[in-house]
Amino acid sequence: MDVVSQWLAVALALLSALCLAVGTQKQGSAVADRTHGRLTPRALMTLLGNHRWLLGLGLLGLGTALNVAALGLATVTVVQPIGVVALVITTLLHARHRRLRINRRTWAAIGLCTAGGAVFVTCAVAATDPAHGISAWAERTVVVMLVVLVCVLGVAAALFRHGLGGTFYVVAAGILYGFVAVLVRLTITRIQGSAGGPLDDVNWLAIGAAAVAAALGGWFLQTAFASGPPDLVIAGLTVIDPMVGVLLGLLVLGEAGPGFSVLTGVLMTLAGGVAIVGVAVLSQHHPEVLARRAELAHRDRHAPSRPGP
C-alpha cells in the first residue's frame, strides 16, 4: 500500500505541475504586460482586476491544493522534485504566447533540468522512508530556521529593493516554498496521526510561519515575473524548492530510509548539479533574455553622450 500511495502522490504532483505551469505563464505574462521591470504595490493592485492574472492565481491555487494532497501521501523528498515538469510546459506556453523561437541552448537547458529532476526523483523514491515518524525537535528546528529566514529575506528586500535583481527573488521564493512544503507535510502528518480531534496536535506556530513565508514568497514571485520570463522563474523554483525540501527531509527530519546509501547521495548530488547548470544556461540563453540584452545594448549605443567636466 505504501508503494501505491507514493505513486499516487507522484500522479497528483504531476497534475499539480501542470496547473502551476499554466498558472505561472498566465500570471507572468500579465505582470510583464503591466509593469516595466519592477513591481510596485500600486501595480499589484491593478493586477487584481486583470482576468488573466486572476486565472493564473486560480490555477496556482489548484496546483497548490493538489501538491498538498500529494504531500499527504508521500514525503517531501518524493513530491517536490516532480515540479520540474512545469518548466517544460511553461517554456512551450510562453514561447507560443510571445511568438518566440526556442533556440538550441534553451532546449539543452530544459533537457538538463528535466533529466536532473527525473534522476533526482527516482533516487528519492527509493531512498526515503514514508513511514518515518517526525520528532517534535525536528519540527521546531524547521520552524525556527524558517522564522530566521523570513526575517533575513524580508529585511534584505526592504533595505536593498532597488539593487536586487530577479535572481534574488527567484532564489528567495524557492527557498521559502521549500520550507513551506516541509511544514505542510508535517502538519498533515500530525492531523493524520492525531488520537483525538483532527486539530488537537496541530502546531499553530508552524502554520503561522508557513503562512507568512508563503505570502512573502508570493510577493517575491510576482516581483520576479516583472524582471524575467516566467519559464526562467519556474526553472529556478523547480530546482531550488525541491532541493531545500530534500535537504530538510534528509538532514533535519530524518526521512532517509534503508535504501539511502553513499551511491544514492552521490547520484542525487550530481542530478541536482545538472539541474542547476540547466537553470544557469537558461538564464543566459533564453530567447527573451537575449532579446532584452540586445535591446539594452542598443539603448546604450544610441544614448546621448554626456559632456565632460
Side-chain angles (χ1 to χ4, degrees):
M1 182 62 181
D2 289 338
V3 175
V4 174
S5 297
Q6 287 204 60
W7 287 109
L8 178 57
V10 170
L12 290 173
L14 287 171
L15 290 175
S16 171
L18 176 61
C19 292
L20 292 175
V22 180
T24 296
Q25 192 279 323
K26 294 295 183 183
Q27 280 209 320
S29 60
V31 172
D33 290 344
R34 293 295 183 95
T35 60
H36 300 284
R38 186 172 299 278
L39 182 67
T40 62
R42 182 177 181 180
L44 183 60
M45 293 302 296
T46 63
L47 288 169
L48 294 176
N50 185 288
H51 297 294
R52 195 191 333 156
W53 188 87
L54 291 174
L55 174 60
L57 181 64
L59 288 170
L60 290 176
L62 177 58
T64 300
L66 290 169
N67 197 62
V68 169
L71 288 169
L73 298 171
T75 63
V76 173
T77 311
V78 172
V79 173
Q80 291 307 101
I82 300 174
V84 74
V85 175
L87 168 59
V88 180
I89 302 171
T90 306
T91 300
L92 295 175
L93 291 175
H94 185 63
R96 181 180 179 183
H97 174 74
R98 295 294 187 191
R99 297 180 179 179
L100 298 171
R101 182 180 179 182
I102 305 177
N103 54 50
R104 291 182 180 180
R105 291 187 177 181
T106 298
W107 280 122
I110 293 172
L112 290 174
C113 292
T114 305
V119 173
F120 199 97
V121 72
T122 301
C123 293
V125 170
T128 55
D129 179 12
H132 172 72
I134 307 300
S135 67
W137 174 88
E139 184 176 8
R140 285 195 298 269
T141 300
V142 174
V143 172
V144 171
M145 291 172 66
L146 180 57
V147 170
V148 173
L149 188 65
V150 166
C151 293
V152 171
L153 293 177
V155 170
L159 295 179
F160 308 107
R161 60 184 181 276
H162 297 298
L164 297 175
T167 302
F168 168 84
Y169 293 107
V170 171
V171 172
I175 294 174
L176 290 174
Y177 286 148
F179 273 86
V180 170
V182 169
L183 291 180
V184 168
R185 168 66 180 170
L186 292 178
T187 300
I188 293 174
T189 302
R190 277 182 173 271
I191 293 174
Q192 292 174 338
S194 177
L199 301 180
D200 287 350
D201 296 327
V202 170
N203 185 337
W204 293 106
L205 178 60
I207 292 179
V212 173
L216 183 60
W219 172 258
F220 287 166
L221 186 62
Q222 298 300 321
T223 306
F225 283 148
S227 57
D231 37 345
L232 179 56
V233 174
I234 203 70
L237 290 179
T238 54
V239 169
I240 297 167
D241 177 338
M243 285 186 177
V244 171
V246 167
L247 288 174
L248 289 174
L250 296 177
L251 301 179
V252 181
L253 304 181
E255 290 182 343
F260 186 81
S261 63
V262 175
L263 178 60
T264 303
V266 171
L267 287 175
M268 292 178 72
T269 301
L270 291 175
V274 168
I276 289 175
V277 170
V279 174
V281 173
L282 189 64
S283 67
Q284 295 297 316
H285 300 287
H286 188 283
E288 189 168 333
V289 172
L290 294 176
R292 292 188 181 188
R293 192 180 301 159
E295 182 180 353
L296 289 175
H298 178 78
R299 289 179 182 177
D300 291 340
R301 285 196 303 268
H302 293 83
S305 58
R306 295 181 179 180

